[in-house]
Amino acid sequence: MNAPVCHVHGVIEEFAAHLDEYTWPEKPWAGQSLASGAAGIALFHSEHAARCLADWGSAHQWIGHAAAGGVSVEDTTGLYIGATAVAFVFHGVPHRRTGLYRDAHEALHEHVLALAHRRTEAATKRISRRQPAAFSEYDTFYGLTGIGAYLLRTDPSSSAMERVLDYLVALTQPIDAHTPGWWVDHDPRREHAMPGGHGNFGAAHGITGPLLLLAQALRRGHSVPRQAEAVRTICDHLDTWRQESDAGPWWPEHITLADVETGRPHQRHPGRPSWCYGTPGIARAGQLAGIALNDTALQTFYEDALYRCLNDPAQLATITDTSLCHGWAGLYQTAFRAAQDAPRLHTLLPSLGNRLLAAAAPGTDKGPGFLEGDAGCALALITLATATPSITGWDSCLLID
């Protein structure tokens, strides 16, 4: 049964009021962080106003917080921090408000283009040396996949976008006989070097992120040589490491060299069904790959995997928060987007929406941010209340749109 729309809107207004009252700390990077800072909160206020649920004042204020204090264009920045993050916020402004930010957005956009060229150049040289990659080179949060997600929305025909796609195609070529091109030499938490390294499967930091971008671009008619082949290569890798259970297929969060040697992952059970890791993010990527390749069997397989996952009480019981990254908000938003391409999945949305709404309350201990905090949960609630895709395109930074 669907939650009453008036009740959902009431909860959204509670979130809006809470976020409006938040006092932004004066600390480095706080404004320009899409994950936990002002940039992510601005995404909520922008979508809220674009739906005519609020005036533009709060959105303008938070966009100002995001852009204040000097926006970094260093090579350590990406979609979730720095120039690309703030440019992403500017691009999502509703058409009737774009004039307020046009000059600032155009200036930042040029910096992002230059950043993409510099970083693809460095990454291509690393590949030529046949060295392991790092999350920060290619992932959705800080790497070239995230920068490509921004470019796909704003400048998909640019040479910068072409270079990002060329790089991701090259990333799918193996380093050696044992390890794929996205193998990294550090641990999954990026805290220390890991003997032998690991191969990651997540949408946030693993190969599912590049698959999402390659498939999204291909579906929209933006491609480079061997892009379809690269999509197939990643899908074949997912197929190789797919595990079976009574509740359907699942994938490990990561594999080690020892796993490669035995042909079996050290993870024995499905992980949390989330966007960042687990079946939902991977299934959306596989579904989009099937659509992009015009492979109905592939598309149907991943849609069925998602359907079975979201019908498994044991997996759903592992969701313990309302975040976009790994909670009910991200699960609902991913399922909603997948359902736009698979009507069968619509039957799951009412139950997932009720679970999200029952758990949603402003003031989470994770703070007001987009990825794990209040802003992200509130954005998913807007989707629940309106049953329509985002106006601002905010969820394209998750690559599930």
Side-chain angles (χ1 to χ4, degrees), residues 301-357:
F301 169 80
Y302 279 103
E303 290 169 354
D304 185 66
L306 181 57
Y307 186 89
R308 296 179 68 184
C309 169
L310 298 181
N311 271 301
D312 180 20
Q315 290 187 70
L316 294 180
T318 64
I319 300 293
T320 59
D321 63 45
T322 59
S323 72
L324 278 175
C325 188
H326 43 250
W328 289 112
L331 194 61
Y332 183 82
Q333 193 69 29
T334 302
F336 175 84
R337 281 297 192 174
Q340 305 306 297
D341 294 308
R344 177 190 181 196
L345 296 174
H346 277 285
T347 60
L348 302 176
L349 296 180
S351 175
L352 293 174
N354 287 337
R355 302 282 290 263
L356 167 62
L357 184 61

Side-chain angles (χ1 to χ4, degrees), residues 39-59:
I41 298 171
L43 289 184
F44 164 73
H45 284 297
S46 185
E47 181 73 21
H48 196 219
R51 299 281 188 176
C52 298
L53 300 173
D55 62 32
W56 190 247
S58 292

Side-chain angles (χ1 to χ4, degrees), residues 189-279:
R189 293 183 178 274
R190 296 170 295 149
E191 293 174 346
H192 52 75
M194 181 176 178
H198 80 279
N200 200 282
F201 286 80
H205 299 300
I207 193 53
T208 295
L211 177 60
L212 281 162
L213 180 60
L214 289 167
Q216 292 274 28
L218 191 61
R219 183 185 190 185
R220 289 164 169 77
H222 303 289
S223 64
V224 296
R226 298 172 57 223
Q227 186 169 328
E229 178 184 334
V231 170
R232 282 284 182 201
T233 296
I234 300 172
C235 289
D236 289 345
H237 181 77
L238 293 176
D239 193 52
T240 296
W241 289 98
R242 182 182 80 234
Q243 306 299 299
E244 299 294 341
S245 73
D246 292 341
W250 60 274
W251 290 262
E253 293 187 358
H254 71 274
I255 53 173
T256 65
L257 276 183
D259 296 336
V260 172
E261 290 171 359
T262 62
R264 183 180 181 187
H266 61 278
Q267 183 178 329
R268 293 293 183 252
H269 305 286
R272 183 169 44 189
S274 60
W275 166 78
C276 59
Y277 285 94
T279 299

Side-chain angles (χ1 to χ4, degrees), residues 110-124:
E110 290 302 314
H111 283 296
V112 176
L113 292 175
L115 176 68
H117 282 290
R118 291 197 308 272
R119 293 195 57 180
T120 51
E121 183 71 20
T124 301

Side-chain angles (χ1 to χ4, degrees), residues 16-25 27 36-38 41 61-62 65 366-369 374:
H18 176 76
L19 289 169
D20 246 354
E21 293 169 358
Y22 187 78
T23 301
W24 194 249
K27 58 183 181 180
S36 59
I41 298 171
Q61 179 184 21
W62 282 98
H65 287 320
K366 293 294 186 179
D374 289 336

Side-chain angles (χ1 to χ4, degrees), residues 19-161:
L19 289 169
D20 246 354
E21 293 169 358
Y22 187 78
T23 301
W24 194 249
E26 295 295 330
K27 58 183 181 180
W29 298 96
Q32 55 194 296
S33 169
L34 196 66
S36 59
I41 298 171
L43 289 184
F44 164 73
H45 284 297
S46 185
E47 181 73 21
H48 196 219
R51 299 281 188 176
C52 298
L53 300 173
D55 62 32
W56 190 247
S58 292
H60 183 70
Q61 179 184 21
W62 282 98
I63 291 171
H65 287 320
V71 178
S72 177
V73 296
E74 297 297 318
D75 287 358
T76 52
T77 64
L79 178 57
Y80 278 70
I81 195 75
T84 312
V86 180
F88 181 84
V89 173
F90 282 143
H91 182 75
V93 168
H95 291 304
R96 64 183 182 277
R97 303 288 181 179
T98 53
L100 295 170
Y101 314 101
R102 183 175 293 111
D103 290 346
H105 183 208
E106 289 177 354
L108 276 182
H109 183 72
E110 290 302 314
H111 283 296
V112 176
L113 292 175
L115 176 68
H117 282 290
R118 291 197 308 272
R119 293 195 57 180
T120 51
E121 183 71 20
T124 301
K125 289 180 179 177
R126 191 274 306 164
I127 289 174
S128 69
R129 295 192 297 269
R130 304 186 72 79
Q131 296 173 333
F135 286 168
S136 58
E137 179 185 288
Y138 75 83
D139 76 7
T140 301
F141 288 168
Y142 310 111
L144 283 161
T145 294
I147 293 171
Y150 165 78
L151 293 173
L152 184 61
R153 282 189 58 78
T154 61
D155 208 349
S157 299
S158 64
S159 60
M161 182 78 235

